[in-house]
Amino acid sequence: IRPLMGRRIYGCDDCLIACPPGGRALATAGERPRQLPFAESLALSDDALLDRFNWWYVPRRRGRFIRRNLLVAAGNSREPAAREAVADHTRHPSSMIRGHAYWAMARGFDGRRSLRRALDSETVPEARDELLLALLMTEHPDAYAAVLEADELARSDESTRALALVGPHASADGRGDDDFRLVFLSRDGG
């Protein structure tokens, strides 16, 4: 779904423009540029992000959700000015933010070297999974496309319990080659 978000930071930005009550909220929010500078926005603290986008509904009023979406939009935009800010977030304290920064580096910037360096320090399983998928996206685009296609297939098949990509990419050194296999685990144990 991340590529489909394009430059949108939050669904509310479109809804507010289209909805009559949203127009009133926008009128009280003050002047905002249509094309937000991602580097500038990513440099803000979470509290400053909440203040800047105070007209949006944000889950549990946490700025990290806006930051996550900023990373997705920045990766989709491929704006050179955002590269450094996105790369900085690969070292963020939140594993959720790091995972989205890895994706954004792979999606929008030539971040293979910085992603490889991150393999040495990333220990949180969910963020490491995002990192390995980001490397797969940059180093083996055909295998990455196959994973996305298989994931869609698995989500539409109620008998599928899990989907796993197995192969050398999952080794501790993070190196990979073209020897990947997709494994489907069914609910009936097959």
Side-chain angles (χ1 to χ4, degrees), residues 124-148:
V124 176
E126 295 83 1
R128 188 162 177 89
D129 288 348
E130 287 281 353
L131 174 55
L132 290 170
L133 282 170
L135 281 167
L136 190 65
M137 186 188 321
T138 61
E139 296 177 356
H140 303 280
D142 291 340
Y144 180 75
V147 168
L148 294 181

Side-chain angles (χ1 to χ4, degrees), residues 46-47 49-50 58-59 61-68:
D46 284 357
D47 288 339
L49 283 173
L50 287 170
V58 177
R61 293 301 299 162
R62 293 193 181 145
R64 68 189 190 124
F65 296 111
I66 297 172
R67 184 173 310 282
R68 172 199 62 198

Side-chain angles (χ1 to χ4, degrees), residues 3 26 33 37 41 45 52 54 64 77 85 87 95-96 105 109 121 124 131-132 159 166 173 175 182-184:
L26 287 173
S41 296
S45 70
R52 182 171 187 177
N54 65 353
R64 68 189 190 124
S77 78
S95 61
M96 178 187 75
M105 287 299 292
F109 309 100
S121 58
V124 176
L131 174 55
L132 290 170
S159 67
V166 295
D173 67 2
R175 295 208 170 123
L182 289 169
V183 177
F184 290 88

Side-chain angles (χ1 to χ4, degrees), residues 56-183:
W56 288 345
Y57 165 78
V58 177
R60 296 179 293 281
R61 293 301 299 162
R62 293 193 181 145
R64 68 189 190 124
F65 296 111
I66 297 172
R67 184 173 310 282
R68 172 199 62 198
N69 292 8
L70 278 165
L71 288 165
V72 171
N76 285 330
S77 78
R78 297 177 169 95
E79 288 179 5
R83 187 190 194 291
E84 187 176 332
V86 172
D88 288 346
H89 281 77
T90 64
R91 296 178 298 280
H92 194 274
S94 164
S95 61
M96 178 187 75
I97 297 300
R98 286 193 312 275
H100 282 77
Y102 299 145
W103 179 88
M105 287 299 292
R107 168 81 173 162
F109 309 100
D110 185 19
R112 187 178 308 171
R113 266 186 253 132
S114 64
L115 294 172
R116 283 254 160 232
R117 281 192 302 274
L119 276 173
D120 296 335
S121 58
E122 186 57 72
T123 59
V124 176
E126 295 83 1
R128 188 162 177 89
D129 288 348
E130 287 281 353
L131 174 55
L132 290 170
L133 282 170
L135 281 167
L136 190 65
M137 186 188 321
T138 61
E139 296 177 356
H140 303 280
D142 291 340
Y144 180 75
V147 168
L148 294 181
E149 186 176 327
D151 186 50
E152 278 300 311
L153 199 77
R155 289 173 193 263
S156 66
D157 182 354
E158 290 184 19
S159 67
T160 302
R161 184 176 69 200
L163 168 71
L165 177 69
V166 295
H169 78 283
S171 65
D173 67 2
R175 295 208 170 123
D177 60 28
D178 294 323
D179 185 25
F180 298 104
R181 287 182 304 143
L182 289 169
V183 177

